[in-house]
Amino acid sequence: MNHDPTDLEGQAAAIADADERARLAARAEKEDVVWLMQSKRGRRIVSRMLGQSGPYRSVFHTNAMTMAYQEGWRAFSAQLLGKLTEYCPDLYLQMLKEQMENG
């Protein structure tokens, strides 16, 4: 399909379509995270993921490649933590409570 720079209606429709797809994808992501956190098993999985990736851990290393690798994991865990606190803060707190109870 060729792009026609003079087709303003087509461009507006394409933008609206892309916005709708992005909105639906964001909603699905939120629903997926909440679904995962609603079960004790899901909360244990997320807890392990956060523990292994270390959102609050220092990534400093004298080897730049090692530090970059560790920063990638830290950035992933920070994104996950942000989603948990935005989408389901009550379930995140429940996960932390369960984590404290189970050591």
Side-chain angles (χ1 to χ4, degrees):
M1 181 163 112
N2 293 333
H3 172 70
D4 180 0
T6 63
D7 182 12
L8 300 180
E9 284 183 27
Q11 291 176 29
I15 290 170
D17 185 50
D19 288 346
E20 178 66 10
R21 283 194 312 262
R23 188 186 67 73
L24 291 173
R27 188 174 95 195
E29 179 181 75
K30 179 179 179 177
E31 290 172 355
D32 291 346
V33 170
V34 171
W35 172 83
L36 180 62
M37 290 294 287
Q38 284 178 334
S39 74
K40 200 169 202 170
R41 177 178 283 170
R43 291 189 297 275
R44 283 194 311 263
I45 290 169
V46 171
S47 179
R48 280 193 304 270
M49 289 172 70
L50 288 172
Q52 292 168 351
S53 56
Y56 303 114
R57 198 176 310 147
S58 171
V59 298
F60 177 78
H61 196 279
T62 56
N63 182 301
M65 296 305 287
T66 300
M67 190 163 64
Y69 176 79
Q70 291 175 344
E71 173 57 20
W73 278 109
R74 193 209 58 78
F76 162 78
S77 62
Q79 283 184 340
L80 178 57
L81 189 58
K83 290 173 186 177
L84 295 173
T85 57
E86 179 183 350
Y87 300 158
C88 51
D90 53 333
L91 294 171
Y92 172 65
L93 293 175
Q94 184 175 349
M95 180 190 78
L96 293 177
K97 182 180 175 187
E98 291 167 353
Q99 192 177 18
M100 293 295 290
E101 290 171 354
N102 297 327

